[in-house]
Amino acid sequence: MWKWEKRRRFGHAQLGAWLLVVSLVAMSSCGRRESEPPEPELPAVPDLSMPEARPAPPAADDAAPVPPIPPLAEAERPTESPLNTLPAPDLTPTVEPPQLGRLSLEEEIGEPDASEAQAEKSIDAQPESPLAGSSDTEPEPALDLPNLTQRLRETEALGVFTKVALKNQIDDLLDELQRFHRKGGPVERLRERYDGLVVKIMALVQEDEPRLASDIARSREFIWAILADPHGFAELAREGTS
Amino acid sequence: MTLRQLCLVALLPLALGSAARSEETDERVARDLLTVITMEGLPCGKVVSTTRRADQDYTVECKTGDRYRVRIIDERVRVERI
């Protein structure tokens, strides 16, 4: 008797759970339908191809002696109706090209004007900026060399030998930069060495610490600006020795 | 179950964990040494075995058949072909 009661209760609970699941599924599907964005209104195709076939604007209703609207075949026949006095090109600008169909319309129209082209260029150029942060967060300030060195020292992505070898290469580059700032010379070779070193470090930490690798990539130009500037380099050397 | 068996069962996970950690450390050291050899532009392919000679001093045998001594002297990494 007790077992039967228990089984009955369990059956009720199971039924309740099923009902809950079904109602949740139904609610979620309804919600999805509501949240779907409305389909963009397509422009009326005849507006572009046959502007003469458009219905008359409401302003023409005031004219009492207007004869019945001629059929399409007679539309081009010259009549004295006030409908024909309306300029035909006025109808075409009312058609706004939708954003989605912009590319196909551009193909028909031809080259976009200069301002549009410039705006598109600036939009395209934005994500390629080396100092630009990720798209979903605010751009973080670029790291400086001491901070980066500290993080490289603390990372577990690199072994002891690799860290010491990298430190040796960084020190060698700094020595050459010091020589460059004292005596001068071609900076391009140093820049190449710097780029090679940065790429090497990024490749080494990329697998285990992708965040550090992206931070290094972000700071690349910033650090080079410090290293290439005599005052910035002198200040950096002073900080390093103190 | 006797007391001896009980101790064995209790110590087995510790022993296995220690062995796994040691293997992991060896793997990390091998990877570290391979990175340094590659950074020097020397051929290796893959590290077959490593022998620790002293602190920060290893002999590395590579898949290519090359053998290197990798060590740190005066805060600089030295890679010498043996």
Side-chain angles (χ1 to χ4, degrees):
Chain A
M1 181 65 187
W2 182 81
K3 271 187 179 176
W4 181 84
E5 181 68 24
K6 193 176 174 185
R7 199 174 296 164
R8 195 170 63 88
R9 278 186 189 170
F10 180 71
H12 283 186
Q14 210 172 6
L15 186 64
W18 272 110
L19 281 172
L20 187 66
V21 168
V22 168
S23 61
L24 277 174
V25 168
M27 279 168 68
S28 65
S29 65
C30 287
R32 206 180 306 141
R33 254 178 227 157
E34 282 171 6
S35 63
E36 277 176 3
E39 288 186 5
E41 287 183 13
L42 292 173
V45 178
D47 290 350
L48 290 171
S49 56
M50 296 188 297
E52 301 89 7
R54 288 199 69 171
D61 290 340
D62 297 341
V66 172
I69 297 169
L72 283 175
E74 296 174 6
E76 291 177 9
R77 197 183 301 166
T79 57
E80 292 180 7
S81 166
L83 279 174
N84 291 329
T85 59
L86 291 171
D90 287 350
L91 299 172
T92 45
T94 58
V95 181
E96 283 289 330
Q99 292 294 324
L100 290 173
R102 195 175 167 191
L103 278 177
S104 59
L105 281 172
E106 274 178 4
E107 283 173 8
E108 286 178 16
I109 292 165
E111 290 288 320
D113 58 354
S115 61
E116 271 186 19
Q118 200 165 359
E120 281 172 10
K121 262 185 194 172
S122 66
I123 289 165
D124 289 344
Q126 261 183 341
E128 288 172 9
S129 170
L131 297 177
S134 56
S135 59
D136 54 346
T137 57
E138 287 181 7
E140 294 171 21
L143 299 169
D144 56 353
L145 195 55
N147 279 339
L148 202 58
T149 312
Q150 187 62 30
R151 281 181 70 183
L152 280 170
R153 263 191 206 129
E154 288 169 0
T155 184
E156 290 183 7
L158 306 172
V160 177
F161 283 95
T162 311
K163 280 179 186 176
V164 174
L166 283 176
K167 185 184 174 295
N168 296 159
Q169 293 193 7
I170 290 169
D171 287 344
D172 292 347
L173 180 64
L174 290 175
D175 285 346
E176 284 214 27
L177 276 163
Q178 197 168 19
R179 222 170 291 137
F180 162 74
H181 286 305
R182 276 184 194 160
K183 298 176 183 173
V187 75
E188 291 82 15
R189 195 176 54 82
L190 291 173
R191 175 69 205 234
E192 276 174 23
R193 254 186 90 177
Y194 170 78
D195 283 340
L197 190 54
V198 169
V199 169
K200 198 185 287 181
I201 296 169
M202 278 169 60
L204 287 170
V205 298
Q206 178 65 48
E207 195 180 332
D208 293 333
E209 285 204 42
R211 182 69 194 267
L212 180 57
S214 70
D215 284 346
I216 293 168
R218 217 156 35 79
S219 308
R220 189 171 174 168
E221 293 299 323
F222 181 77
I223 292 170
W224 177 251
I226 295 172
L227 294 175
D229 177 44
H231 300 291
F233 186 81
E235 202 169 320
L236 194 72
R238 220 176 299 129
E239 281 174 14
T241 51
S242 62
Chain B
M1 188 180 279
T2 62
L3 187 64
R4 192 176 166 185
Q5 283 173 331
L6 200 67
C7 283
L8 277 173
V9 168
L11 290 174
L12 191 64
L14 284 175
L16 286 175
S18 171
R21 266 198 302 276
S22 169
E23 201 173 311
E24 194 183 334
T25 308
D26 288 349
E27 202 175 310
R28 287 187 74 145
V29 169
R31 201 173 70 164
D32 190 20
L33 293 168
L34 176 65
T35 305
V36 171
I37 293 166
T38 312
M39 276 169 75
E40 291 289 320
L42 296 165
C44 185
K46 193 179 175 185
V47 171
V48 177
S49 69
T50 59
T51 312
R52 189 172 178 272
R53 297 164 68 116
D55 191 29
Q56 298 178 334
D57 188 354
Y58 286 84
T59 302
V60 183
E61 195 175 336
C62 294
K63 199 178 178 182
T64 52
D66 300 293
R67 295 178 78 235
Y68 300 99
R69 184 175 181 187
V70 183
R71 55 185 166 159
I72 296 175
I73 307 170
D74 299 332
E75 295 184 358
R76 286 197 83 88
V77 175
R78 303 280 162 118
V79 183
E80 298 157 5
R81 197 192 290 265
I82 303 172

